[in-house]
Amino acid sequence: MPILTMDDQPIRLYLDLLKKALAYTLWPEPPHPVDEYIQFRLPLKQKIVAWLYRLLSALDRDIRVVRDIKVAPEARAEGRFWPAYADTMIGLKRLDNLQACVETVIKEKIEGDLIETGVWRGGACIFMRGILAAYGVTDRTVFVADSFQGLPEPDSAEHPLDKEDNLHSVEYLKVSKAAVMNNFRRYGLLDDQVAFIAGWFKDTLNDPRLKKLALIRLDGDMYGSTIEALDALYPKLSRGGFCIIDDYGALEPCRRAVDDYRSARGITAELIKIDWTGCYWRKE
């Protein structure tokens, strides 16, 4: 395989196209099913939608009711909505950040593998594997860690800040391992440099395959999921490696978990803002 450099235009073009495809920004946002994340709507609207679906199911099981969605370009860029067909919801700015971090890891030869905890449809992990492929990197693995059954029910005794969290009830956030693997396959990026860690973080992030890490990307939303990932993975992060937090600005429990962890361990590395919610720092 020829030696490639970061100035190669074909690599730039491939990664730019890959980001746009994963974020579904090449096409208008399609209509959304009206029953999507229905639990967040008013009780009366939930009852009306449930009645409507029972009626339609009796007529024809293939009929679905959808509604048009208008998404502003800045909302797409910053991942400010839950998309219908995209393979990632983190938006182009956080994908740009991920690319910059992985490219720095490669350029500066920061030792270790790459991992995301909380992957949804796998888009960010697919992108990391795509970056490694583009630069011909064959000695790093992308770890894909998720329950593959949505978020856990809150453990309010252990993590009181998660008490009011109800994301575990959202079907939209539950994506199976088979579906994520198929998404990798669709982009031609499922191979032995992709490893899956399935289960709740408190039970699985002690996986012996995780030895040294160059980049950890945490997208667990909750206090418990975030602090468990930091406890398990941050000690394995190489000096100069990147710790990326997806939900720091959007979700108070996540932010508190990060602040508590940094404070308890005396981490003073600058916390750099990516967009309205994402941030990262480099391990010193």
Side-chain angles (χ1 to χ4, degrees), residues 66-79:
V66 298
R67 62 190 177 98
D68 288 330
I69 296 289
K70 293 181 180 179
V71 183
E74 56 269 26
R76 281 179 175 271
E78 295 197 348

Side-chain angles (χ1 to χ4, degrees), residues 71 74-82 89-91 94 275-277:
V71 183
E74 56 269 26
R76 281 179 175 271
E78 295 197 348
R80 287 182 175 269
F81 76 110
W82 286 4
M89 62 172 74
I90 70 174
R94 274 170 276 162
D275 59 10
W276 66 287
T277 182

Side-chain angles (χ1 to χ4, degrees), residues 7 30 39 80 83 109 118 138 159 162 185 190 216 249:
D7 294 325
Q39 57 269 62
R80 287 182 175 269
K109 297 182 172 57
T138 58
H159 306 299
D162 288 336
R185 193 176 291 112
L190 182 64
I216 58 178

Side-chain angles (χ1 to χ4, degrees), residues 96 102 261:
D96 288 342
V102 175
Y261 186 86

